[in-house]
Structures are given as structure tokens and as C-alpha cells.
């Protein structure tokens, strides 16, 4: 199949191909080109059916141009074929690749050609595209009576060369034809420009533009529509049918078309986009296209915007009553005429524009004067608002400021006509997208129709409810969240010009500077207020306090709470107070300035069960929470509105000291206090904690001092009476004389000497130690000290059945049992160790030694053992690793170490508190407040004053050690 009718030589085939290619290159007539191609195909190929058709891209149609058939009837080969989806011919046109059909009679995708194939017994068919570059210009159909569609390589090559040359010539002819048919826009536009230059009236110029456009495009009618910003509607200002239409005309075309009706059409024009609606084509969305054509009562529309200084002035529209495809030439011409109209349109209002620019400059200069003038802020804003409202033909002038404590925008100034009420609501903080919109904006943000615009969505309900339908928004500052906003509103849907928006932007920036100064002034005022609060609280310390006077009770707390509440502006401030060791807190009211709050001041609050107190104690600094979060138990003594906010903070001084209260501040609405005010509040609350602690310590010390003075006075007077009675008895004994019996006389004299010594010591104490201790300096051998100390506890040792061992006095360890008659037999009296002497106030040292031994006896188990270890220590010798101090003594004096060890029960907390380096909370409950801890602490402090040391610790085997260091008498003493 596909072979030549009769074999010919290769030279003849090449010559025939060359001739047809040359003919195709030299011919311009399309019909001749088609005939030449058909003749070549008929001569060189054995096909019974040949058909050539040209493709119309715009209408997606094939136009038959002729061919050959078996019966020589070619009428149907010149018919128009509309391509449909799934058609064999459409597939070739779209894919631009040859397609073969083995039997055309059975091909269901070629319905019409199938009938023809059956009529002429056509089977094998080849459909080839006639193309040039990437454009399909037509197609060639070759049909044979044989089955199949295979072509030899040489035949295929010749066929592709002929079709390629035909496609190139057809493409060139099409371009030439389009160029001839294309209308030239330069000359009509230049002619129109010349006419516009000679005309002086805007309506005359519009008329000339309309006539020129109508003549060039030839639509059904041509109109110029003008845009009215106040009211947001278009009216037909000029038409080729009704010339010089007035905006008040009652004709259908002069009647306004609102922006709401035009919608997408309007927004396309505002971005300088030409709108084209033709036969099955539209630059707008399909659902709106039908609505727009119905509104204008046309079937085709071409509109170009008239824009001056980025503002939409109107648009030029060519309208057709029939479906029409607008060419690029039509679009370019209409767009060019619209551009010429935009150039001549401002001339009508040039004087008014110049005057307006002068007034705008004057307005901005007057606002700028407010920056450095001494006028009040309200007066400056009032003068500015009046002129801005008149200039922009607006209804309201609103100045908003963001309140970080309330997390919303509040009106700090507003101006409106006398017949409008001021706005009383607040506006929520901006959504993230709206905040970013304002942050990036360099001019006023315009909302022409608040009902439809989704920007500032969370403001819409409040604004719409108060009659706002359009608005301009300008940021006055450049923070992440704009702290101040200037808003201009109107009660109807409208738009503003670029000049008006630029004017408002300039005004807003100048107002931002004024607000910045005002904020600095307010900040200075707030700092002064905080400083006064600190000064007032410090003044409390200089005022005399008397806790016994009921009128001045808790004066410190009440005054401090008032100052703290004034910093945060809270209507409620109370203190939940308790003393260390207590389980219940009492309420100290400071400020209750709002009827929405109520405090049951007589309530006793359990510290461990109250959630507010526990939350505050668990928080290192302050804690803020909502009233809704409070449990029902707290709401029993605290009455507050549900939307209120609470701040609590514990009174802390040191990590080792107990907390003695919680400050509670509350407001009737949710707030976000500034960091500066919170910092000042935290400082004052911390200072209050220290003041309360110092006050409590002072009260405790005063009370303790008073009790000790009473005790000292009582004991001193008793000792005086004992001394008087004892002295009187001695005088009576001396008056009786000495007994005659020698043995009785000896014992009598011994007892008299003891009584005389006792009376003398009591007299010395009464004379020298009335209100303070007197430190004397005496010496005593260590053996005598041990002997005297053991004698004083002899009865206690027998009662407890204790064993006492004395070690380190130069003899083997001597153990004294309770069965022995005396404890002093084991104490050596003549060894070098026992000859050591201690120096100091011996009476007080003996009392300390006695206290230590009594404590050891009382804490030892019955039948237990007490060991007393003695050793001499040099000043440079270090203490054992188990000892609590780092060195033996601070001076260079030799010391004696006495260690009393015993097995017994002692509280670990008492040992910890007796340690010198352990911090002690004066106000907290302690084991040192009562015996035996109190007595041991007194002994410890007394030994420090005597130049010695006294420490307590526990060995790993649980033995308790009382370690006493005493200064020894040197060799040169």
C-alpha cells in the first residue's frame, strides 16, 4: 500500500518532488497551493480518497478545501466540519501527530467519514497534520481500498516534505492576511489626541473620545462612566447615543450602578485591569459575567479603567448586543483612549485640587505645631479632628490606644457630629493577619464596605452596630502591635482618593509623635507615683509603732497595702497573715474600693487547705489567675466578679525563714499589668515581708527582754533577801560562841567557814553582777575542777546507776561505779597531767561543766556509761576530722580539751541548731527556746565570752559528744 501507480526511476521521483516544492514556494494563492498539492498526491500515491482541510483556531473548525474521490464528486469535501471532543480529526489537530486507521469503515470515532468509507469501500486511512512550528494549520486525509496504513520510508519522507512546505507557505500567507486585516491604532489615536488638544471643555473631550472609539471598534454603543466615591456608584457621563448626560438624568443609562452590583468588575478596574467579555470568553468569573451582562443588557463588553493618581475616576466601555470576540487591536485602542481621558480629566478640577493641596499642607502644619506647643492634647486633637472630618467628608474621628493590661483598644479621643453619640465600647486586640497588615502598611488601610470586607473581622460587630459602613485605619506608631491607631469612619459605603489617604497618613504620624510625648509624660507621672509609694512605705519605719494600741494595730500592713494597690490600680488589697507555727491565717484588709468585692474579714482561713495560700507558697514570685479558677471554699470568704483577675504573692525574706503571709490583689476585670508596675509591686511586697519580719523580731526581743528583766529583778531581790537572812543567822551563831567539845568545835568552824564563803560570794555577785555578767580571772587545777564537778552530780549518778570514767589525767583509766562511796577516788591528784591549771572565771566554768554533766546523766540510759576525756592541745594543732571547728583556738594560747561522751537519745534537730554555722530563724519555733536546748545554748555562748569553745556532735557509733575547750595557765603565768 502507498506505492506509486507504476514504477518510475528515482531521478524522476526527485524531479517531481522538486517541482512541487518550488511551486509551493512561489505561489501565494491558497486555492492554487491546495490544487498543486492534490495533483502531486494523485500523481505520486495510489489513494482513492484525498482530502485537505484548513483549521480555524478561534472557532475550532475545519474548512474543507477539496480533494479526490472515486466517483469524482467533491462537493462534500468542501464542507465545514465542527470538531468535537473524542473525534479522530480533533485528536490529530490537538496532538499534531499522524494517525493511521486500518479500516475506516469500522472506526466509531469518525462517524461521518465512516459512512463515506462504506460508500467508497475505503479501509486503510492515514490522517496527517499540516503544521508549522507548534501551530496546526490543517490536515490531510489519505484513504485506500486496501487494509492497513503502512508507508514506505521514501514515500513518507516525500509526503512530510511536501506537507512541511505547504504548512510554511500557509503560515506566511496567514500572517500577511492578518497584517492586512489588522486595523492600525496609531493614526486614530494621534487624531484623537489632536482633537482633545483643541477642545477646552471636559464634556467635549469625552464626546470626542466616545465618537472616536465608536468609529474604530464599531460596537452597538460606547459609554463613559464616572465614579462617585461618596455612595460608591457609577453614572453614565457620556454616550454615543445620549451625549452630555447629566448625573441627575432619569434615563436608564444615567441611573447609577453601585459598586455592590458590579463587585468583581469594580475590583478589576481598581487594579488597572481591562475587562473583556466576548463570545464564550471572559476575564471575570463565569457566575459574575452573566450577572454583569444582564445588568448592562448587552452580550459583549470591553471596558478600560480611567485612573488618575492611582484613583479610579471611571471607565470607558464599548458594548455589543451580539456575541463578539474582541481583538487585541480593539483592546489596545480602548485602553489607549481611556489613558487619554485620564490625562484630560484632572483639568476640570485643577484649581480645586491646588486649593485642596494648600489646605492639606496647612492642616498638617497645624498638627505639627501641636508637637512643640503648650496646648493641651485634647485641644490639639479637637482642632485636628474638625478639619479632617470636613476634608474627608467623614462621620467620626477616632483615636485608639492599645491597653496591654486590658489587652484591647480603648478610645482616648473621638469626635463626631452633635447628633451622634460617642462610642462607649472597647475593641478587641487585632488578629494576627490584621496586625501584620498594619505593620507592613505605608498608607491608610481602606475598608470601602465593612459588610463584605473580612479585614478587622473582630471589630465588625461593634462598628456595624453603631452605624459604621466604611473606614480608614492608620497606625500612629510602628511597634509589633501598633500602640495607637487613627480611624476615620463613614455611615455609608464609600471610598477615598489616594491624596486623601496620604493626607490622613501624614496626620496620623504627627499624632503618633504627640502621643509619644503624652505617653512619656504619663510614664513620668507613673514613676513619680511609684516613687511616692516607696517614700510613703519608707516613712512607716520612722513612725512610732505601738502594737498595744488597737487604733494603730496592723498600721504597717494597711499603709503598705494601700500603696501597693495604688501602683496597680487595684480596688482590692488584703493580707492573709499568720505567725510561724500557726495553722490558721487571719485577714488584714488594706483597700476595698469597689462594691463588687466583699471580704469576710472575721474568717479564719486554714493555711494547709486554702488553695490561694498554697498556690502562692508554691510560686517563687507572683501568680496571676482568674476569679473563675478559684475553688468554692475560697469563694466563701472572697466575693469577686467572675471576670475579675487576682494577683497573689507570698511574703518571703530568706529561703531559710518561714513565710508569714500572702498579699492578695484583685481587679474586677482581666488585666495585663505593665512590667514596670509589676516590678515595683514585687519590690514593695518583698520590702513589706522584711518590714514585718523586723517588726515581729523587734516585738519578740522586746517581749523577751521585758520578761528577762522581770525574772532578773525577782531573782536578784530574792538573793538579797537570802543573803540578808544568812548573814543575820551567822551573826547570831557567832554571838552564841564556840562549843566546848573539840570535835564539835572543829566541824562547827568548818561549817562557819563554808557559810562565810557562801555569803561572801553572794555579796560579790549582788555587788558586781546586778544587770550584767562580771568576768573574773582565777586559776584552778584541772583535777580540782573534775573533783568538784563530780561531787555535785554524785546523787544523780547513783539514781541513774551510771558508770563514769575519767581518762587522760596521767593514770590508767579509772572507772567509778555507783556502788563506790565517792566518785572522786579515781581522779589523780599528783600526776603531771593533773597538775595542769585552767584560767578564767571559775564559777562560770564550773556551772558550764555541771550543766554538761547533768545533761549527759539525764540523756544516758539507766546503767549506762559516761566517759570524760582530757588532753592538752597546742594552738597550732588541728581538730579531729569529726570535730565541727577547723582549728583549736584563734589565739596562741594552749588549751585543754574536755570531751564528755555517752550513749543516749538526743534530737538531731537540736544538734543541728546548736551548730554555730547553722542559720537560725528568730521567729520560727526552735528547740533552743526551752531547756535543755536553751541551757546548752547559754553555755555555748558563755564559753565563747570566756575565751573557750563548746561544741556538740554525734559519733558514727551514735555516741553523743560534748566537747569543751578551756584555756590553760602558761608556764610564764
Amino acid at each position: 500500500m502507498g506505492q506509486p501507480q507504476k514504477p518510475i526511476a528515482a531521478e524522476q521521483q526527485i524531479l517531481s518532488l522538486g517541482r512541487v516544492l518550488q511551486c509551493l514556494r512561489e505561489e501565494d494563492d491558497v486555492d492554487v497551493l491546495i490544487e498543486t498539492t492534490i495533483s502531486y498526491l494523485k500523481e505520486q500515491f495510489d489513494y482513492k480518497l484525498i482530502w485537505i482541510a484548513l483549521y480555524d483556531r478561534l472557532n475550532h473548525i475545519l474548512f474543507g478545501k477539496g480533494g479526490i474521490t472515486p466517483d469524482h464528486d467533491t462537493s462534500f469535501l468542501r464542507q465545514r466540519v465542527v470538531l468535537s471532543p473524542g473525534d479522530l480529526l480533533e485528536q490529530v489537530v490537538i496532538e499534531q501527530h499522524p494517525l493511521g486507521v486500518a479500516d475506516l469503515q469500522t472506526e466509531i470515532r469518525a462517524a461521518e467519514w465512516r459512512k463515506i468509507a462504506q460508500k467508497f469501500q475505503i479501509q486503510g486511512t492515514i490522517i496527517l497534520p499540516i503544521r508549522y512550528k507548534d501551530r496546526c494549520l490543517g490536515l490531510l486525509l489519505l484513504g485506500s481500498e486496501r487494509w492497513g496504513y503502512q508507508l514506505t520510508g521514501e514515500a513518507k519522507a516525500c509526503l512530510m516534505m511536501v506537507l512541511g512546505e505547504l504548512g510554511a507557505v500557509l503560515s506566511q500567507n496567514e500572517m500577511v492576511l492578518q497584517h492586512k486585516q489588522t486595523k492600525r491604532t496609531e493614526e486614530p489615536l494621534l487624531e484623537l489626541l489632536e482633537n482633545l488638544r483643541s477642545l477646552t471643555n471636559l464634556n467635549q473631550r469625552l464626546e470626542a473620545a466616545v465618537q472616536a472609539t465608536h468609529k474604530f471598534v464599531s460596537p452597538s454603543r460606547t459609554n463613559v462612566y464616572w465614579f462617585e466615591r461618596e455612595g460608591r456608584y457609577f453614572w453614565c457621563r457620556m454616550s454615543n447615543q445620549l451625549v452630555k448626560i447629566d448625573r441627575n438624568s432619569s434615563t436608564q443609562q444615567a441611573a447609577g450602578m453601585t459598586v455592590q452590583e458590579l463587585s468583581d468588575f469594580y475590583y478589576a478596574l481598581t487594579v488597572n485591569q481591562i475587562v473583556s467579555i466576548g463570545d464564550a470568553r471572559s476575564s471575570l468569573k463565569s457566575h459574575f459575567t452573566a450577572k454583569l451582562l444582564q445588568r448592562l443588557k448587552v452580550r459583549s463588553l470591553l471596558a478600560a479603567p480611567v485612573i488618575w493618581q492611582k484613583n479610579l475616576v471611571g471607565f470607558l466601555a464599548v458594548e455589543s448586543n451580539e456575541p463578539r470576540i474582541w481583538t487585541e487591536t480593539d483592546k489596545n485602542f480602548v485602553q489607549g483612549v481611556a489613558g487619554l481621558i485620564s490625562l484630560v480629566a484632572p483639568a476640570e478640577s485643577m484649581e480645586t485640587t491646588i486649593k485642596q493641596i494648600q489646605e492639606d499642607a496647612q492642616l498638617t502644619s497645624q498638627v505639627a505645631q501641636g508637637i512643640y506647643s503648650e496646648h493641651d492634647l485634647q485641644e490639639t486633637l479637637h482642632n485636628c479632628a474638625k478639619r479632617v472630618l470636613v476634608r474627608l467628608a467623614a462621620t467620626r474621628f477616632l483615636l485608639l490606644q492599645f491597653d496591654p493590661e486590658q489587652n484591647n483598644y480603648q478610645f482616648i479621643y473621638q469626635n463626631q457630629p452633635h447628633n451622634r453619640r460617642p462610642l462607649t465600647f472597647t475593641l478587641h486586640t487585632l488578629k494576627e493577619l490584621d496586625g501584620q497588615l498594619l505593620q507592613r502598611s505605608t498608607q491608610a488601610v481602606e475598608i470601602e464596605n465593612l459588610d463584605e470586607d473580612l479585614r478587622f473581622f473582630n471589630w465588625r460587630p461593634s462598628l456595624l452596630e453603631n452605624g459604621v459602613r466604611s473606614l480608614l485605619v492608620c497606625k500612629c506608631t510602628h511597634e509589633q502591635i501598633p500602640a495607637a491607631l487613627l480611624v476615620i469612619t463613614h455611615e455609608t459605603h464609600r471610598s477615598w482618593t489616594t491624596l486623601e489617604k496620604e493626607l490622613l497618613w501624614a496626620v496620623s504620624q504627627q499624632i503618633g509623635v504627640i502621643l509619644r510625648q503624652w505617653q512619656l509624660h504619663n510614664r513620668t507621672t507613673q514613676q513619680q507615683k511609684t516613687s511616692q509609694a516607696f517614700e510613703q512605705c519608707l516613712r512607716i519605719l520612722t513612725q512610732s509603732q505601738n502594737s498595744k494600741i488597737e487604733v494603730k494595730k496592723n498600721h504597717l500592713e494597711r499603709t503598705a497595702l494601700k500603696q501597693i494597690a495604688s501602683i496597680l490600680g487595684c480596688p482590692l488589697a488584703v493580707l492573709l497573715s499568720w505567725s510561724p507555727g500557726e495553722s490558721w491565717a487571719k485577714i488584714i484588709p488594706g483597700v476595698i474600693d469597689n462594691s463588687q468585692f466583699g471580704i469576710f474579714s472575721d474568717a479564719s482561713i486554714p493555711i494547709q487547705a486554702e488553695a490561694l495560700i498554697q498556690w502562692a507558697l508554691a510560686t517563687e514570685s507572683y501568680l496571676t489567675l482568674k476569679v473563675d479558677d478559684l475553688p468554692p471554699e475560697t469563694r466563701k470568704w472572697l466575693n469577686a466578679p467572675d471576670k475579675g483577675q487576682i494577683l497573689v504573692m507570698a511574703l518571703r525574706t530568706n529561703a531559710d525563714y518561714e513565710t508569714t503571709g500572702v498579699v492578695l490583689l484583685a481587679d474586677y476585670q482581666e488585666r495585663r499589668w505593665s512590667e514596670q508596675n509589676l516590678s515595683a509591686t514585687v519590690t514593695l511586697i518583698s520590702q513589706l515581708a522584711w518590714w514585718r519580719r523586723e517588726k515581729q523580731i523587734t516585738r519578740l526581743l522586746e517581749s523577751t527582754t521585758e520578761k528577762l528583766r522581770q525574772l532578773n529583778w525577782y531573782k536578784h531581790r530574792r538573793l538579797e533577801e537570802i543573803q540578808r537572812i544568812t548573814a543575820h543567822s551567822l551573826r547570831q551563831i557567832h554571838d552564841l560562841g564556840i562549843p566546848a567539845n573539840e570535835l564539835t568545835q572543829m566541824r562547827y568552824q568548818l561549817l562557819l567557814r563554808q557559810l562565810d564563803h557562801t555569803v561572801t560570794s553572794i555579796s560579790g555577785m549582788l555587788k558586781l553582777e546586778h544587770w550584767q555578767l562580771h568576768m573574773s580571772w582565777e586559776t584552778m587545777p584541772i583535777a580540782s575542777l573534775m573533783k568538784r564537778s563530780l561531787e555535785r552530780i554524785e546523787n544523780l549518778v547513783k539514781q541513774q546507776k551510771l558508770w563514769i570514767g575519767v581518762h587522760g589525767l596521767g593514770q590508767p583509766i579509772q572507772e567509778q561505779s555507783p556502788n563506790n562511796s565517792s566518785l572522786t577516788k579515781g581522779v589523780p591528784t599528783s600526776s603531771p597531767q593533773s597538775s595542769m591549771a585552767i584560767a578564767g572565771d571559775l564559777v562560770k566554768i564550773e556551772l558550764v561543766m555541771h550543766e554538761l554533766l547533768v545533761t549527759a546523766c539525764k540523756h544516758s540510759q539507766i546503767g549506762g556509761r559516761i566517759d570524760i576525756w582530757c588532753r592538752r592541745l597546742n594552738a597550732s594543732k588541728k581538730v579531729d576530722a569529726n570535730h565541727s571547728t577547723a582549728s583549736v583556738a584563734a589565739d596562741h594560747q594552749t588549751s585543754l580539751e574536755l570531751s564528755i561522751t555517752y550513749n543516749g537519745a538526743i534530737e538531731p534537730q537540736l544538734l543541728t541548731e546548736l551548730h554555730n554555722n547553722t542559720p537560725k530563724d528568730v521567729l520560727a519555733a526552735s528547740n533552743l527556746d526551752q531547756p535543755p536546748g536553751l541551757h546548752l545554748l547559754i553555755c555555748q555562748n558563755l564559753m565563747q565570752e570566756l575565751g573557750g569553745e563548746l561544741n556538740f556532735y554525734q559519733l558514727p557509733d551514735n555516741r553523743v559528744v560534748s566537747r569543751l575547750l578551756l584555756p590553760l595557765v602558761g608556764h610564764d603565768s
Side-chain angles (χ1 to χ4, degrees):
M1 174 185 167
Q3 298 300 323
Q5 292 180 357
K6 58 181 179 179
I8 59 174
E11 292 84 358
Q12 292 178 340
Q13 199 172 17
I14 294 174
L15 291 175
S16 179
L17 177 61
R19 284 195 301 269
V20 72
L21 292 178
Q22 184 176 1
C23 292
L24 293 177
R25 292 192 200 101
E26 296 175 353
E27 186 58 54
D28 295 330
D29 191 346
V30 175
D31 293 333
V32 176
L33 291 171
I34 299 299
E35 289 297 331
T36 303
T37 305
I38 293 174
S39 299
Y40 173 76
L41 295 175
K42 182 178 179 182
E43 176 185 349
Q44 298 295 327
F45 298 93
D46 184 16
Y47 286 103
K48 300 299 180 182
L49 178 63
I50 299 176
W51 179 58
I52 294 180
L54 298 182
Y55 174 58
D56 182 2
R57 293 187 304 278
L58 294 177
N59 299 304
H60 200 45
I61 296 174
L62 289 173
F63 292 97
K65 301 300 289 183
I68 61 173
T69 62
D71 62 353
H72 305 290
D73 183 8
T74 60
S75 59
F76 72 93
L77 298 180
R78 297 185 179 274
Q79 294 181 358
R80 187 177 70 167
V81 179
V82 179
L83 298 177
S84 57
D87 192 356
L88 247 155
L89 300 179
E90 187 194 47
Q91 181 180 345
V92 176
V93 167
I94 292 176
E95 295 180 359
Q96 299 186 26
H97 290 293
L99 179 64
V101 180
D103 188 356
L104 187 59
Q105 299 178 23
T106 61
E107 181 59 54
I108 61 175
R109 293 180 297 167
E112 296 295 331
W113 289 100
R114 185 167 140 189
K115 296 177 182 179
I116 297 173
Q118 292 174 354
K119 178 181 178 181
F120 297 116
Q121 301 300 315
I122 301 299
Q123 291 187 4
T125 304
I126 299 176
I127 307 173
L128 302 99
I130 303 173
R131 55 190 298 270
Y132 179 73
K133 294 184 178 178
D134 59 346
R135 294 172 57 196
C136 181
L137 302 174
L139 55 81
L140 168 64
L141 185 144
L142 301 175
S144 173
E145 294 178 349
R146 301 176 185 177
W147 187 90
Y149 52 83
Q150 186 67 31
L151 275 175
T152 63
E154 294 180 358
K156 185 177 180 180
C158 293
L159 185 58
M160 297 308 295
M161 281 192 287
V162 171
L163 292 181
E165 189 65 31
L166 177 61
V169 176
L170 288 177
S171 175
Q172 183 178 0
N173 291 343
E174 183 180 352
M175 293 177 61
V176 173
L177 180 62
Q178 287 181 354
H179 182 72
K180 291 180 179 179
Q181 293 177 349
T182 301
K183 294 182 289 186
R184 309 293 294 178
T185 61
E186 295 85 355
E187 293 182 1
L189 283 176
L190 290 175
E191 183 180 353
L192 175 60
L193 180 59
E194 190 65 29
N195 292 337
L196 295 177
R197 191 181 300 170
S198 61
L199 299 173
T200 58
N201 184 275
L202 178 60
N203 286 332
Q204 294 176 353
R205 292 173 174 174
L206 293 178
E207 181 183 354
V210 167
Q211 295 298 339
T213 304
H214 193 76
K215 179 181 178 181
F216 185 86
V217 181
S218 300
S220 299
R221 57 179 176 268
T222 304
N223 300 322
V224 172
Y225 292 90
W226 222 245
F227 181 54
E228 291 297 330
R229 297 190 172 278
E230 189 170 353
R232 298 177 78 227
Y233 68 91
F234 291 92
W235 60 283
C236 184
R237 180 163 185 173
M238 187 62 60
S239 174
N240 69 305
Q241 297 177 351
L242 301 171
V243 182
K244 300 180 182 178
I245 300 175
D246 185 74
R247 77 177 66 182
N248 298 321
S249 174
S250 60
T251 62
Q252 178 67 24
Q253 288 179 320
M257 296 181 296
T258 64
V259 169
Q260 189 172 2
E261 292 178 302
L262 300 179
S263 187
D264 293 358
F265 176 71
Y266 164 74
Y267 291 113
L269 294 177
T270 55
V271 295
N272 198 18
Q273 175 182 338
I274 188 169
V275 176
S276 173
I277 302 176
D279 186 12
R281 291 175 178 84
S282 175
S283 59
L284 302 177
K285 296 179 181 179
S286 58
H287 71 279
F288 182 76
T289 298
K291 180 180 176 182
L292 178 62
L293 295 179
Q294 184 180 4
R295 174 64 181 86
L296 296 175
K297 297 182 179 180
V298 296
R299 301 187 65 181
S300 300
L301 173 68
L302 183 61
V306 178
I307 292 180
W308 170 251
Q309 291 184 341
K310 300 180 182 180
N311 298 310
L312 181 63
V313 179
F315 65 92
L316 171 63
V318 290
E319 306 165 5
S320 178
N321 295 329
E322 298 295 333
R324 176 168 173 175
I325 297 178
W326 306 106
T327 65
E328 290 297 323
T329 305
D330 296 335
K331 296 177 182 178
N332 294 335
F333 186 83
V334 172
Q335 196 169 19
V337 174
L340 292 178
I341 294 176
S342 67
L343 294 177
V344 299
E348 184 182 31
S349 57
M350 188 63 68
E351 294 182 1
T352 305
T353 303
I354 294 174
K355 182 180 179 181
Q356 196 64 69
I357 293 174
Q358 293 174 348
E359 292 179 355
D360 292 347
Q362 185 180 5
L363 171 60
T364 54
S365 65
Q366 287 180 353
V367 178
Q369 290 175 3
I371 298 175
Y372 54 85
S373 67
E374 298 180 357
H375 293 298
D376 182 70
L377 174 65
Q378 297 292 326
E379 181 182 351
T380 302
L381 293 177
H382 180 71
N383 297 332
C384 173
K386 288 196 304 183
R387 301 198 60 177
V388 169
L389 290 179
V390 173
R391 170 66 178 86
L392 301 184
T395 307
R396 294 181 184 273
F397 179 99
L398 306 173
L399 188 59
L400 285 68
Q401 187 172 28
F402 181 71
D403 186 354
E405 296 184 0
Q406 306 292 340
N407 195 28
N408 59 20
Y409 281 94
Q410 299 181 355
F411 299 110
I412 60 174
Y413 177 80
Q414 51 182 314
N415 194 300
Q416 59 280 325
H418 297 294
N419 58 348
R420 302 290 191 277
R421 293 182 180 180
L423 303 180
T424 57
F425 54 88
T426 59
L427 294 173
H428 299 291
T429 185
L430 293 170
K431 298 293 185 182
E432 183 179 0
L433 289 178
D434 295 329
Q436 293 176 357
L437 171 65
L438 285 178
Q439 186 66 26
R440 296 191 301 265
S441 65
T442 55
Q443 65 175 5
V445 177
E446 181 181 25
I447 305 293
E448 299 182 14
N449 187 349
L450 189 60
D451 297 288
E452 298 178 353
D453 205 312
L454 296 181
R455 291 174 294 177
F456 305 101
F457 187 78
N458 55 339
W459 289 6
R460 289 179 63 201
S462 300
L463 294 176
L464 289 173
E465 185 179 351
N466 287 269
V468 176
R469 293 296 178 268
S470 57
L471 65 153
L472 288 176
V473 183
C474 288
K475 62 179 181 182
C476 300
T477 56
H478 297 273
E479 293 90 354
Q480 188 66 29
I481 299 178
L485 298 176
L486 177 59
V487 180
I488 301 298
T489 72
H490 201 277
E491 295 181 346
T492 62
H493 301 153
R494 65 155 299 169
S495 63
W496 285 270
T497 65
T498 302
L499 187 62
E500 290 171 335
K501 289 185 282 189
E502 291 176 352
L503 168 65
L504 187 65
W505 177 263
V507 171
S508 68
Q509 300 310 295
Q510 292 173 345
I511 290 179
V513 177
I514 299 176
L515 288 178
R516 175 75 66 177
Q517 289 184 334
W518 183 55
Q519 290 172 352
L520 292 175
H521 174 72
N522 288 346
R523 189 173 302 171
T524 302
T525 304
Q526 181 64 36
Q527 290 175 349
Q528 292 175 352
K529 185 177 179 180
T530 304
S531 176
Q532 291 174 358
F534 276 93
E535 182 180 353
Q536 180 67 22
C537 290
L538 291 173
R539 193 178 292 117
I540 301 173
L541 300 179
T542 63
Q543 298 175 353
S544 60
Q545 300 291 319
N546 190 347
S547 59
K548 293 183 178 180
I549 302 177
E550 188 66 25
V551 177
K552 294 186 177 181
K553 187 176 182 181
N554 300 322
H555 176 71
L556 168 67
E557 290 83 355
R558 294 175 187 271
T559 305
L561 288 174
K562 289 180 181 179
Q563 301 305 321
I564 294 171
S566 67
I567 292 178
L568 293 183
C570 291
L572 176 69
V574 296
L575 173 64
L576 307 179
S577 174
W578 64 87
S579 298
E582 292 183 349
S583 301
W584 297 84
K586 63 179 181 178
I587 300 176
I588 300 177
V591 177
I592 304 178
D593 290 342
N594 196 303
S595 60
Q596 300 183 47
F597 292 97
I599 294 292
F600 183 42
S601 57
D602 295 333
S604 294
I605 304 172
I607 298 175
Q608 295 298 327
E610 175 51 52
L612 266 182
I613 295 178
Q614 294 304 314
W615 292 342
L617 294 178
T619 306
E620 183 176 354
S621 183
Y622 63 88
L623 173 68
T624 59
L625 61 154
K626 297 180 181 179
V627 175
D628 290 335
D629 300 331
L630 297 180
E633 291 76 12
T634 304
R635 303 294 289 268
K636 292 179 181 179
W637 59 267
L638 174 60
N639 182 25
D642 294 336
K643 294 183 179 180
Q645 183 164 309
I646 290 178
L647 182 146
V648 290
M649 180 175 175
L651 293 181
R652 284 191 178 88
T653 51
N654 188 286
D656 299 315
Y657 298 159
E658 290 191 20
T659 304
T660 60
V662 170
V663 173
L664 185 150
L665 304 169
D667 204 344
Y668 56 86
Q669 59 184 348
E670 184 179 357
R671 296 184 59 181
R672 289 189 179 181
W673 292 293
S674 65
E675 292 296 329
Q676 179 184 1
N677 290 343
L678 286 174
S679 176
T681 301
V682 170
T683 302
L684 278 181
I685 293 178
S686 300
Q687 194 64 48
L688 173 61
W690 281 104
W691 288 339
R692 273 173 54 87
R693 175 176 174 80
E694 295 301 325
K695 181 181 177 181
Q696 292 171 345
I697 291 175
T698 302
R699 288 178 179 176
L700 177 62
L701 294 179
E702 288 177 352
S703 175
T704 303
T705 302
E706 184 178 354
K707 292 178 181 178
L708 291 177
R709 285 175 178 174
Q710 293 174 355
L711 179 64
N712 185 66
W713 173 84
Y714 167 73
K715 289 186 175 181
H716 201 82
R717 291 293 180 259
R718 289 285 292 169
L719 285 173
E720 287 178 347
E721 181 64 16
I722 293 172
Q723 191 271 343
R724 186 187 65 79
I725 295 174
T726 304
H728 179 70
S729 299
L730 281 174
R731 283 194 301 271
Q732 290 180 344
I733 293 175
H734 282 297
D735 291 342
L736 292 177
I738 302 174
N741 187 295
E742 183 177 354
L743 180 60
T744 303
Q745 179 182 357
M746 216 165 79
R747 291 182 61 83
Y748 178 79
Q749 289 178 348
L750 179 61
L751 293 174
L752 282 178
R753 282 197 300 269
Q754 289 179 350
L755 286 173
D756 286 334
H757 179 72
T758 301
V759 172
T760 302
S761 65
I762 292 176
S763 300
M765 183 189 69
L766 292 174
K767 180 180 180 180
L768 299 175
E769 298 182 312
H770 188 181
W771 287 107
Q772 60 184 4
L773 293 177
H774 175 75
M775 300 298 177
S776 61
W777 186 262
E778 304 169 88
T779 61
M780 175 185 289
I782 183 60
S784 299
L785 174 64
M786 296 301 302
K787 181 178 179 180
R788 291 166 61 91
S789 300
L790 293 175
E791 284 178 349
R792 297 182 65 177
I793 63 169
E794 186 173 358
N795 292 333
L796 187 58
V797 169
K798 290 180 179 180
Q799 292 175 3
Q800 296 288 103
K801 299 180 182 180
L802 300 174
W803 295 77
I804 296 182
V806 180
H807 315 271
L809 291 182
Q811 287 184 341
I813 295 176
Q814 299 292 330
E815 295 187 353
Q816 306 298 331
S817 69
N819 297 325
N820 295 337
S821 59
S822 175
L823 292 173
T824 60
K825 294 180 180 180
V827 179
T829 58
S830 60
S831 67
Q833 288 285 89
S834 63
S835 64
M836 290 186 300
I838 61 172
D841 194 320
L842 298 179
V843 175
K844 296 178 178 60
I845 292 175
E846 281 187 43
L847 291 175
V848 171
M849 189 69 183
H850 175 70
E851 187 71 34
L852 297 179
L853 291 174
V854 169
T855 301
C857 291
K858 290 184 177 179
H859 284 82
S860 296
Q861 301 175 355
I862 296 177
R865 176 186 181 117
I866 299 176
D867 293 302
I868 304 174
W869 303 84
C870 304
R871 63 170 176 170
R872 184 190 184 101
L873 296 179
N874 295 326
S876 59
K877 187 174 182 180
K878 300 296 181 182
V879 184
D880 188 74
N882 291 324
H883 294 172
S884 58
T885 55
S887 62
V888 176
D891 54 15
H892 300 285
Q893 189 177 16
T894 304
S895 301
L896 174 69
E897 180 187 58
L898 286 175
S899 298
I900 302 173
T901 64
Y902 59 92
N903 282 307
I906 189 170
E907 296 183 11
Q909 183 64 27
L910 177 60
L911 291 178
T912 302
E913 293 179 357
L914 286 172
H915 197 281
N916 291 329
N917 297 327
T918 303
K920 301 176 181 63
D921 188 356
V922 178
L923 299 176
S926 172
N927 292 314
L928 304 181
D929 294 338
Q930 55 188 357
L934 177 61
H935 293 168
L936 295 179
L937 177 63
I938 292 173
C939 293
Q940 195 177 48
N941 295 334
L942 187 59
M943 286 310 303
Q944 289 182 356
E945 294 185 22
L946 292 174
E949 287 186 18
L950 177 57
N951 298 304
F952 305 92
Y953 56 93
Q954 196 165 18
L955 297 176
D957 58 2
N958 293 328
R959 286 186 299 163
V960 180
V961 179
S962 300
R963 178 176 172 276
L964 180 65
L965 291 182
L966 296 174
L968 289 175
V969 179
H971 297 290
D972 55 349
S973 298

